[in-house]
Amino acid sequence: MIDLHTHSIFSDGTDTPEAMALAAQAGGLKALALTDHDTLAGLERFMAMQPEVATLLVPGIELSCRFMGRPLHMLGLFLDFRDPLLVERIESMRIQRLERNQTMVARLRARGVAITWEDVSREAPTDLISRTHFARVLVRNGAAGSPQDAFNRLIGDDSPCYVPFPDLLPQVAADWIRAAGGVAVVAHPGRGFPRGFRWDEAMLDLKQQGVQGFEAYYPDYGPLEERYFLALAETLELVPCGGSDYHGGNKPGRRLGVGDGGLQVPDGVLERLQRLQGA
Ligand code: AMP
Ligand code: MN
Ligand code: MN
Ligand code: MN
């Protein structure tokens, strides 16, 4: 069992990197990647756990990009997370995210929603603030009935107070990842785009931009969707990746390695990715 997509307190998860490494070992995982959104901040602590666990710990990231006018997430796996150029590039994203978040607070306030910068800062356990933290504040302050309601009406990708960030192109993200020795993998292509979207041409385009794989296994894909993505990966000669997108208590019901229960990423994916490292 392997899991190549998870989040800790360093983005919008609720577990520490240490707890996740130990949980992976307890659950018998062969490999676990930590892929926090737009930050490398948790990786030092995560990788420091390697001597203590039999699970292979994989340093990763999930970069927020835009593609065809929609949000697209790009995983970088097996990164050299201390690479100075990569660190500098990610720092530029931290600043953009900060500005985006401040604009979102202003937009929400302009609509009469009770929310302050202090509220959202306090909600986040580390200095990365994401919409997940906004959603929690909106529920706490009574502006939304549930996090899902907050996303549906106020801060979701197609909602009035969402401010997109940043305009990172997939090609640039793939280049950053590969320049740091990592493997570039499109996260959950079946999400963020209309259901039933045909990825054949778009994924070929992304391959030409430097992408090496994409998630064919994901907790809420249906069997048809998974079969479609597996066939597409084979046709395009891209690695069919996958993971739980574990967020701890921020995505209840999602578990390391197994997702909602039915996730099964074949161990062989790991070796395929390792062969691409630094390519
Ligand atoms: P951000 O990176 O700040 O734009 O926040 C994006 C995060 O919000 C994603 O990684 C998800 O964890 C969460 N998210 C986005 N859309 C939704 C949604 N419709 N429902 C629940 N969570 C969402
Ligand atoms: Mn998230
Ligand atoms: Mn994502
Ligand atoms: Mn994710």
Side-chain angles (χ1 to χ4, degrees):
M1 194 177 11
I2 62 173
D3 191 335
L4 301 174
H5 183 166
T6 68
H7 300 272
S8 76
I9 52 167
F10 283 91
S11 62
D12 55 352
T14 56
D15 292 0
T16 62
E18 290 85 356
M20 290 169 64
L22 293 172
Q25 148 121 320
L29 265 70
K30 190 177 164 198
L32 174 73
L34 179 64
T35 55
D36 277 312
H37 297 283
D38 308 316
T39 181
L40 301 162
L43 293 174
E44 203 71 61
R45 278 173 55 176
F46 184 63
M47 296 308 290
M49 291 298 286
Q50 186 63 93
E52 292 179 43
V53 295
T55 304
L56 176 73
L57 302 180
V58 178
I61 196 165
E62 183 174 13
L63 293 175
S64 309
C65 306
R66 284 190 88 68
F67 178 62
M68 300 174 72
R70 310 275 323 161
L72 179 98
H73 289 174
M74 183 91 68
L75 298 170
L77 299 170
F78 296 101
L79 291 166
D80 174 3
F81 62 95
R82 297 196 185 105
D83 181 276
L85 184 55
L86 180 67
V87 169
E88 189 183 306
R89 287 166 160 170
I90 299 306
E91 171 62 13
S92 72
M93 288 190 89
R94 190 183 70 80
I95 293 163
Q96 287 184 57
R97 174 178 283 277
L98 192 66
E99 289 169 357
R100 180 300 285 260
N101 286 339
Q102 285 166 340
T103 310
M104 276 187 54
V105 170
R107 269 202 204 172
L108 285 160
R109 290 178 65 85
R111 278 176 75 90
V113 173
I115 191 167
T116 64
W117 180 247
E118 288 66 40
D119 292 336
V120 281
S121 311
R122 216 177 307 122
E123 196 65 44
T126 62
D127 77 355
L128 188 136
I129 298 169
S130 94
R131 282 184 285 155
T132 303
H133 305 114
F134 275 80
R136 291 172 62 118
V137 170
L138 292 168
V139 173
R140 191 189 304 282
N141 291 2
S146 65
Q148 203 49 60
D149 179 43
F151 276 101
N152 290 345
R153 286 191 301 107
L154 295 166
I155 59 170
D157 293 346
D158 298 305
S159 304
C161 299
Y162 170 56
V163 179
F165 124 93
D167 285 325
L168 190 65
L169 295 168
Q171 183 164 18
V172 173
D175 178 51
W176 288 8
I177 290 163
R178 296 179 66 169
V183 182
V185 170
V186 175
H188 47 69
R191 297 294 166 270
F193 279 67
R195 292 232 173 203
F197 179 83
R198 300 294 294 181
W199 274 92
D200 304 54
E201 276 181 37
M203 198 57 78
L204 176 61
D205 179 12
L206 288 167
K207 180 183 177 177
Q208 286 160 349
Q209 297 190 38
V211 161
Q212 295 156 292
F214 62 86
E215 287 188 314
Y217 306 94
Y218 194 71
D220 64 1
Y221 282 177
L224 273 180
E225 207 171 12
E226 180 175 301
R227 232 174 298 149
Y228 167 69
F229 281 126
L230 283 173
L232 184 62
E234 188 157 336
T235 306
L236 297 180
E237 296 180 345
L238 289 167
V239 182
C241 261
S244 62
D245 209 357
Y246 179 78
H247 281 68
N250 281 336
K251 274 196 189 171
R254 288 270 174 103
R255 285 174 289 142
L256 284 181
V258 296
D260 303 328
L263 184 74
Q264 260 184 304
V265 186
D267 289 359
V269 168
L270 192 65
E271 282 93 71
R272 287 187 66 181
L273 291 170
Q274 283 170 317
R275 278 201 293 276
L276 290 173
Q277 252 184 90

